[in-house]
Amino acid sequence: MSPLDRKLLRDLWAAKGQVAAIAAVIAVGVMVLVMFTGLVLSLDETRRAYYERHGLADVFAPLERAPRAVLDDLAELPGVARAEGRIRGAGRIDLPGRALPVQAVALSLPQDTPAALNGLRLAEGSRPAPGRNDEVLVLESFARANGLGPGDRLSATMNGTRRSFVIVGLAQSPEFLYTTPPGELAPDDARFGVIWMPHKAVAALYDMEGAFNEAILSLQRGARAPPVLDAVDRLLEPYGGQGAYPLAEQTSNRFVSEEIRGLEMMSRAVPPAFLAIAAFLLYIVVWRMVQAEREEIGLLKAFGYTDAEVAGHYAKFVLAIALAGALLGALAGLALGRATVSLYIQYFKFPFLVFRLDPAAVVLGGTVSVAAAATGGLVVLRQVFRLQPAEAMRPPAPPDYSRAGRIGAGLAARLDQPTRMVLRRLTRQPLRMGGAVAGIAVGMGLCAAMITIHAGFERTVRLGFEVVNRSDVTVTFTHPLSEAALYRIARMEGVRAVEPQRHVPVAFRHGLETHRGAISGLVERPELFRALDEEERAVPLRADGLVLGDALADILGAAPGDVIEAELREGARPVLRLPVAAVAASAIGTPAYLELSALNRALGEGFRASDALLTVDAAQSDALVQALAEMPFVAGASSKAEARAALQELMDSGMGTMRFINMALAFIVAFGVVYNAARIAYAERARDLASLSVMGFSRGEVTFVLLGELVVVTLLALPIGSAVGYGLTLVIAAAFSNELYQVQALFSAASHGYAALVVLAALLVSGLLVRRDIARADILAVLKTRE
């Protein structure tokens, strides 16, 4: 080992505290990059392989009823590779011991041959035997959640007919990776089921002999979806076509895509902040080393070491820290990614999901971390090249403070000597102090952003289930009903209030932007479900204008006054042109609201409601729910408490868990920045502090001289960190938000206050550690050190 390499090891050991802190910051940035990139790769490739293996359709086309001969016409359309028809119907499953009925979807299995499109993966049991119309397959996640298995019997009501079935197998489907009860957005395996039945059995139940009510199509390689969708809509219009849509808009696939998009945004937004902090800290540390070792640098050059060899020694110091951090980050990212991927097995119903380490991410993480470290040390290394032996072995010229800021005579007279020493250092080295302020501000900003995001998640749940929705139970009807059904429900024992709603599927268009969603018809002055503005005040509904949720307004690029084209996919299927009356704060989903009577008039119908919101007497809720379940026109009923629990579980899993991970990492970075600032300050002033001790200053005064500077720097960094935190909150909130829920990037005084307390706690701990070093320091040894 060369002498320079032995010196390198001694230097690393002497600065082990700072080395560990900087390597930890680099490791965090690389870890986030490796983990998020690996999760994106794992989810995307698993999804692609699963879709291809089981032939998930490229186009879905619901309709009212069409003869099977129409499938031949669909298959002949340009761009279509294959067309299949199936029967899809709503159902209701009654489970023993469960008060609320479970909503379900019944799907037909092909009559003779296995499906080429939307194939099933049999997880347990077998397929229904030919001619056995009472045998069914059930979605595995639903069966597991309710303790069902092959051989169990299942009671269900379909199209008003109550039937009993035998479960012969449990199935998985790429079409149902993400399953939600109708009318809700949060998945709940226990409250939504999918039943696959022989084609003849479903046809008999829904009066579809020789017909189908949903077409699924695969496209030829290279075919564009929009022209095919238009052709399918024209062909199916006489048969009550409800609008074909591509795989990208299929509910399950859309939420998988949203999750991948959020992970990609996080992988781009978070690592640069960590690596920038590491670059700054390395610059300070290496600059301090070069200044302290001027004489040694001169001696090395005088003894024959070249400029490149000496500079390489300090470059190795930087690279050792960067590579150690990158390696640690890659290993931590792999471990955390493998632990996190198990959450996605529960979140999305993939049959398998293995965390794949993206080699490119590891290479990129290492390259970027080394580049950041090199950036931090490059400016300092230029000084090493410029130092000539004779110049380096002379003491450096005393710094010129003639142009530095001065403390006024009046103020100086009122301050003691230690305080004046602190202020002089701050005014004489403004750039250095500004760099320390910037580093601590970024650390606090990360903390503030993550605490605010955590509060934003809680606000989303509170707003959605306490302020917007004030009902207890939502009752969904099998089809839109008149006021008579509402009166019947209102007279039931235990019902306190009833409020009707109607949800109509619609295709929105504004300029070049489109969105497939729904219009919710609300009464003129709703009480149980309201549209609210940012101040949580009720937004009045109008008959001549839409109220858009802010998430939908962003998607369409619409603002109040803009005209939206809405193609209704129900009733007479009119195309409406409605102005945007207002934009409401939407915490959950992408809603659009219209006054109920105006929506019914647009459909050419009298009063109709597709569901009803109820407030109920808690003491009579069980009996009421049982009575509702027995009504033939009730498709299902859901408790707001269950829906809230499902959303809370969703937000605490999958992408939602990342907020806890990021919060912990932000705390680590905040402490690392403050601790490094304290250690650097101590290393720079160790000789001065020892001199003060010899001159008679007490240990407390010596500590004050050192830490007073850090306290002032930290206090200056707090307001700047708050501003940085708000900016980061905007970026991170956008990454977490999707069509399911929106995390508001609001300024939270409490969140920023907690972040400030974290930084102050880091300051206190760092001060105690440095004070311990001051107490342990050998004053004579420090004074003998030549700088």
Side-chain angles (χ1 to χ4, degrees), residues 510 539 542 546-550 553 557-564 578-584:
H510 178 243
V539 176
R542 288 170 43 181
L546 284 171
V547 175
L548 300 183
D550 51 14
D562 292 347
V563 176
I564 301 294
L578 296 169
V580 178
V583 175

Side-chain angles (χ1 to χ4, degrees), residues 252-301:
S252 173
N253 180 70
R254 187 172 62 187
F255 285 116
V256 177
S257 298
E258 285 287 334
E259 188 77 10
I260 293 174
R261 180 194 66 84
L263 290 171
E264 286 178 334
M265 288 187 66
M266 290 297 294
S267 69
R268 296 183 187 132
V270 176
F274 291 105
L275 296 178
I277 293 173
F280 167 73
L281 294 176
L282 276 168
Y283 165 76
I284 297 297
V285 170
V286 178
W287 183 90
R288 165 60 193 162
M289 288 181 62
V290 171
Q291 294 302 312
E293 298 179 357
R294 279 175 56 93
E295 185 173 345
E296 285 83 349
I297 292 173
L299 287 171
L300 289 172
K301 291 186 176 183

Side-chain angles (χ1 to χ4, degrees), residues 47 51 56 60 174-175 177-178 180 184-185 245-262 347-348 506 514-518 552 555 589-590 737-740:
R47 176 180 63 170
Y51 286 2
L56 186 61
F60 298 78
E175 187 179 357
L177 293 176
Y178 183 97
T180 61
E184 298 182 24
L185 291 173
Y245 57 93
L247 176 60
E249 295 185 17
Q250 195 262 346
T251 301
S252 173
N253 180 70
R254 187 172 62 187
F255 285 116
V256 177
S257 298
E258 285 287 334
E259 188 77 10
I260 293 174
R261 180 194 66 84
Y347 188 57
F348 297 125
V506 62
T514 61
H515 179 74
R516 186 171 176 271
L552 180 56
I555 292 172
T590 53
S737 299
N738 52 46
E739 289 190 22
L740 174 61

Side-chain angles (χ1 to χ4, degrees), residues 246-392:
L247 176 60
E249 295 185 17
Q250 195 262 346
T251 301
S252 173
N253 180 70
R254 187 172 62 187
F255 285 116
V256 177
S257 298
E258 285 287 334
E259 188 77 10
I260 293 174
R261 180 194 66 84
L263 290 171
E264 286 178 334
M265 288 187 66
M266 290 297 294
S267 69
R268 296 183 187 132
V270 176
F274 291 105
L275 296 178
I277 293 173
F280 167 73
L281 294 176
L282 276 168
Y283 165 76
I284 297 297
V285 170
V286 178
W287 183 90
R288 165 60 193 162
M289 288 181 62
V290 171
Q291 294 302 312
E293 298 179 357
R294 279 175 56 93
E295 185 173 345
E296 285 83 349
I297 292 173
L299 287 171
L300 289 172
K301 291 186 176 183
F303 278 112
Y305 286 94
T306 64
D307 289 344
E309 288 174 324
V310 177
H313 163 70
Y314 293 99
K316 287 180 182 179
F317 181 88
V318 171
L319 293 177
I321 299 175
L323 293 176
L327 178 60
L328 180 63
L331 294 176
L334 177 61
L336 196 57
R338 286 178 172 173
T340 306
V341 80
S342 62
L343 297 174
Y344 283 100
I345 290 285
Q346 303 171 7
Y347 188 57
F348 297 125
K349 305 305 181 293
F350 288 110
F352 58 89
L353 184 59
V354 178
F355 181 77
R356 287 194 57 187
L357 182 65
D358 185 1
V362 177
V363 173
L364 178 62
T367 303
V368 172
S369 62
V370 170
T375 302
L378 186 60
V379 176
V380 181
L381 294 181
R382 290 176 59 190
Q383 298 181 16
V384 176
F385 279 100
R386 288 201 302 263
L387 283 175
Q388 298 301 318
E391 177 189 355

Side-chain angles (χ1 to χ4, degrees), residues 103 182-183 474-483 485-486 489 499-505 518-522 570 596 599-600 603 605-613 633-637:
Q103 299 187 67
T474 300
V475 180
T476 304
F477 304 139
T478 55
H479 58 281
L481 300 177
S482 66
E483 291 177 294
L486 297 176
I489 293 175
E499 189 170 284
Q501 288 186 345
R502 184 168 187 180
H503 302 289
V504 177
I519 290 180
S520 298
L522 308 181
E570 194 174 292
L596 179 59
L599 180 58
N600 283 323
L603 292 166
E605 300 174 355
F607 181 91
R608 290 289 185 273
S610 59
D611 53 67
L613 302 174
F633 56 80
V634 172

Side-chain angles (χ1 to χ4, degrees), residues 50-85:
Y50 192 29
Y51 286 2
E52 289 181 357
R53 185 175 301 172
H54 295 277
L56 186 61
D58 297 311
V59 173
F60 298 78
L63 61 148
E64 289 185 1
R65 178 190 176 94
R68 298 195 64 81
V70 175
L71 292 174
D72 295 332
D73 298 330
L74 287 171
E76 292 175 0
L77 291 175
V80 175
R82 185 181 181 89
E84 293 183 3

